[in-house]
Amino acid sequence: MNHEREELEEWKRKYTRKSSIFQRVSKQAQTKVNQWIPEKAHKIVTESIRKMVEVTLKGSEWVPLQAMPCTSGLEDREVLMKERMEFYRKAATIEGAGTGAGGIFLGLADFPLLLSIKMKLLSECSLIHGYDPKQYEERLFLLYVFQLAFSSDSHKKDVLRIIENWAEEKEKLKELDWKTFQQEYRDYIDFVKLLQLIPGVGAVVGAYANYQLLDQLGEVAKFAYRIRYFNDLE
């Protein structure tokens, strides 16, 4: 377990490190490009995020029909998580290529579809680690893992602190800060996903973007649940 703990600490240091100059410049460029995007496109993106959050917090739509086996060891759990991540990553890649090739209308449809794939992956990660994603607090945890994967540098640090102290923090969190959630997510992926709407390059951008976004989410979920695993041992 020492190796897994050391790997976790190294990941936390790297993941919360300040963005590179390139990333900060890209953020500035993104802000300008977003001003050129039709308001209709922005509204569809925002509405998709809002509905996803509401469904996740109030219902069990994202929970798989059959519970997956919860293995006892951390290594076995993470192997199974990796298998499910690869499955959903392939699904997201195919979906991104298909909607990206369809131009602006199918490109806009990609947003809710991709959100659904992401939440299904996180629900299965929860089950693999023995948590019930039908419970409100577990659905809330999924959304904090989601935020950890897709948010700004400063917000990542706050979310990581909450995840590291989940046993105490969950008692204080009666509901999600919806406004911050949707703004952070939009700011993180708007630029690359809106490029998917451009005719001629949408399919390539959509496939690549979805692959990378699922890869990012899978890595963050792995370490977020590893944090809970070690906390439960203490």
Side-chain angles (χ1 to χ4, degrees):
M1 285 297 174
N2 288 336
H3 171 72
E4 285 79 4
R5 289 181 184 273
E6 291 173 2
E7 186 182 41
L8 173 60
E9 293 304 315
E10 178 63 19
W11 175 81
K12 287 193 291 185
R13 286 192 293 271
K14 288 183 177 180
Y15 195 67
T16 56
R17 192 173 296 162
K18 189 176 182 180
S19 297
S20 65
I21 293 177
F22 174 77
Q23 289 173 314
R24 293 196 293 273
V25 171
S26 296
K27 172 60 179 174
Q28 294 173 359
Q30 172 188 335
T31 301
K32 291 183 179 179
V33 171
N34 280 345
Q35 296 172 358
W36 304 338
I37 302 298
E39 185 60 28
K40 180 180 178 181
H42 284 296
K43 287 182 178 179
I44 289 176
V45 169
T46 300
E47 185 67 9
S48 297
I49 299 171
R50 184 185 68 81
K51 287 182 177 179
M52 183 275 291
V53 173
E54 290 179 348
V55 169
T56 304
L57 289 176
K58 296 178 181 178
S60 58
E61 180 177 324
W62 309 112
V63 180
L65 295 179
Q66 293 183 338
M68 299 176 67
C70 175
T71 52
S72 58
L74 177 63
E75 183 177 356
D76 289 339
R77 296 182 189 187
E78 292 186 351
V79 167
L80 189 52
M81 283 179 67
K82 183 178 180 180
E83 291 175 359
R84 301 311 297 158
M85 190 271 287
E86 290 176 350
F87 169 81
Y88 282 112
R89 188 172 58 189
K90 289 178 182 178
T93 301
I94 294 171
E95 181 270 318
T99 53
I104 188 167
F105 294 108
L106 281 180
L108 288 172
D110 172 71
F111 232 92
L113 291 173
L114 182 61
L115 286 170
S116 176
I117 290 172
K118 290 173 179 174
M119 295 313 299
K120 286 177 181 177
L121 168 62
L122 289 178
S123 292
E124 292 194 4
C125 289
S126 178
L127 286 166
I128 289 169
H129 279 270
Y131 303 112
D132 183 2
K134 291 182 180 180
Q135 295 182 356
Y136 178 84
E137 67 180 46
E138 292 305 326
R139 295 199 296 273
L140 194 60
F141 183 79
L142 297 186
L143 292 177
Y144 275 95
V145 174
F146 191 95
Q147 286 188 85
L148 185 59
F150 308 118
S151 59
S152 62
D153 292 339
S154 58
H155 193 60
K156 281 178 184 176
K157 294 178 181 179
D158 292 335
V159 175
L160 180 59
R161 177 188 56 78
I162 291 173
I163 288 176
E164 288 181 307
N165 300 281
W166 183 247
E168 297 80 23
E169 292 293 335
K170 68 181 181 182
E171 302 300 329
K172 309 173 188 176
L173 301 169
K174 300 303 180 183
E175 60 182 44
L176 188 74
D177 183 345
W178 144 246
K179 183 177 180 180
T180 299
F181 181 96
Q182 67 94 7
Q183 286 179 342
E184 289 289 338
Y185 183 54
R186 281 197 53 176
D187 287 351
Y188 188 91
I189 72 169
D190 252 5
F191 182 60
V192 66
K193 295 305 292 177
L194 289 171
L195 285 178
Q196 187 175 334
L197 308 182
I198 301 175
V201 300
V204 175
V205 172
Y208 178 78
N210 284 11
Y211 181 95
Q212 294 297 324
L213 291 170
L214 261 292
D215 200 54
Q216 171 83 351
L217 181 60
E219 178 187 82
V220 169
K222 168 185 172 180
F223 287 107
Y225 279 102
R226 188 181 290 189
I227 290 171
R228 286 191 75 178
Y229 180 84
F230 286 136
N231 285 346
D232 288 345
L233 292 179
E234 296 177 355

